[in-house]
Amino acid sequence: MSDAGSHGTRRGPGWPKLLIGAACLAVIVAWTFHAIDINAVIANLGNADPWIVLVELPLLLLLVWLMRAVRWFTVLDTLGARPRFLPTYVSTAVSLGLAVITPMQLGEALKVAHAKAHHGMTIATGASGFAIERIADVLVLLLLTALAGLFMVRTDMPVTFVAVVLCVAIPVGLLVAVALGRRFAPGALADAMRAFRMMAERPYAALSVFLTTLLCWLLTAFIWRAGLMAIDVVISFPAAMFMVGMVTFAIVLTAIPGGAGISEITIMSLVVQSGFSPEQGLSAALILRFLSLIAIALGIAHWLASPYALSSSEPRGR
């Protein structure tokens, strides 16, 4: 799960993923020049509310990162570390900024290395904690996306089939993951199961992980909706939640760094299906891409501050 471990198993430059991303970008460029009024897109972005884009969105994003740091702090404490919150927050923020530009957002696993260096945890235990977070993210996001899709049936959007598939995917995905773990990584599965047992022994910690995960994804949908409102693309909260889920799963499944191309096509199609013009669809994709740039900038800022924050923490164990 860690970056260090991934270096040893990397087999190639991932050309298929890069080709998929390039193809998606080519489709967007072709569509842009043949079916979209570029001047209208520029006007939409130029008229974006600067307060929302430059103040509200970064602050809300930092709030999400703060909640994710609380979740990681809870996981570390449950698995036997003695974490300090400031280093935990900084390492979480740095890893989340890196996650924006890494395949399947695996840059977030950087905090596992930080946990080993500054909280006295082994890589295996840290990776198990990271697995707990990832599984919580998948389950909660699947549930929220499915519920949002079912709710949106009332607005005549063509998402009924997707919502039903997601409802079925929750138990099926768990069974498939366990089967694959037993077949290809029994040791890692054993570590993960041990971590889950430790979490189950502390129900308040498990509830905290669930609630913080739920709040993080709900707030993410609120952030996306606010970003779209900045350019006068007003959609319902369920529609924003559905968009967050579909874009996230598209990025994870294709493993394209930053979801380049895939993210834009998904956002544009959903916005157009909501009754907006193609120009507004492209504007929505670009404003949300700008949100990724904000995340990268905030991640770099935390990385620059990390030597001071992380130096205040020394390895500790129970």
Side-chain angles (χ1 to χ4, degrees):
M1 298 290 284
S2 69
D3 286 347
S6 66
H7 289 316
T9 58
R10 188 173 296 142
R11 296 180 179 275
W15 292 114
K17 302 169 188 176
L18 296 177
L19 289 176
I20 292 174
C24 291
L25 289 174
V27 170
I28 293 173
V29 171
W31 186 41
T32 298
F33 283 101
H34 289 86
I36 292 181
D37 183 352
I38 299 298
N39 292 328
V41 174
I42 295 175
N44 289 337
L45 296 176
N47 293 328
D49 188 328
W51 175 262
I52 293 178
V53 175
L54 300 178
V55 179
E56 288 187 13
L57 295 185
L59 290 178
L60 289 171
L61 187 61
L62 288 175
L63 180 57
V64 172
W65 288 8
L66 179 64
M67 290 191 294
R68 286 191 174 274
V70 170
R71 184 180 70 173
W72 184 234
F73 182 92
T74 302
V75 171
L76 290 176
D77 182 70
T78 302
L79 296 185
R82 290 290 189 184
R84 297 183 183 182
F85 186 74
L86 179 59
T88 302
Y89 165 73
V90 173
S91 64
T92 300
V94 172
S95 65
L96 286 169
L98 180 62
V100 175
I101 56 175
T102 53
M104 299 177 68
Q105 300 182 339
L106 288 178
E108 194 178 347
L110 175 66
K111 63 188 181 185
V112 174
H114 287 168
K116 178 181 183 296
H118 299 281
H119 302 307
M121 298 194 75
T122 65
I123 287 292
T125 302
S128 298
F130 182 67
I132 289 176
E133 287 195 320
R134 267 292 184 259
I135 292 173
D137 280 328
V138 170
L139 292 180
V140 170
L141 189 56
L142 276 172
L143 178 62
L144 290 176
T145 307
L147 291 176
L150 292 173
F151 183 87
M152 289 162 56
V153 172
R154 302 177 185 177
T155 65
D156 297 326
M157 289 189 64
V159 296
T160 308
F161 176 75
V162 175
V164 172
V165 169
L166 289 175
C167 289
V168 175
I170 295 175
V172 173
L174 280 175
L175 294 175
V176 171
V178 171
L180 292 176
R182 287 179 176 176
R183 175 66 178 85
F184 297 105
L189 179 62
D191 290 337
M193 295 305 296
R194 174 178 171 273
F196 275 105
R197 285 195 296 271
M198 295 176 67
M199 186 67 66
E201 292 172 357
R202 297 180 62 181
Y204 289 108
L207 180 61
S208 174
V209 169
F210 171 77
L211 291 178
T212 50
T213 302
L214 181 66
L215 289 174
C216 283
W217 286 114
L218 289 174
L219 185 54
T220 298
F222 181 82
I223 291 172
W224 282 38
R225 185 170 184 263
L228 297 183
M229 290 178 65
I231 56 173
D232 294 326
V233 176
V234 182
I235 61 176
S236 67
F237 185 82
M241 187 71 255
F242 186 79
M243 181 182 295
V244 168
M246 296 307 297
V247 171
T248 301
F249 290 131
I251 292 174
V252 170
L253 290 175
T254 57
I256 297 173
I262 290 292
S263 175
E264 283 75 13
I265 284 182
T266 306
I267 292 169
M268 290 164 64
S269 62
L270 290 174
V271 170
V272 171
Q273 287 181 19
S274 298
F276 295 94
S277 68
E279 288 78 12
Q280 290 172 306
L282 180 56
S283 301
L286 292 176
I287 200 71
L288 293 178
R289 176 57 67 185
F290 182 72
L291 182 61
S292 297
L293 298 179
I294 292 176
I296 294 172
L298 291 175
I300 292 174
H302 283 83
W303 174 71
L304 293 174
S306 63
Y308 307 99
L310 296 178
S311 63
S312 66
S313 176
E314 297 180 356
R316 295 187 173 202
R318 285 178 177 168

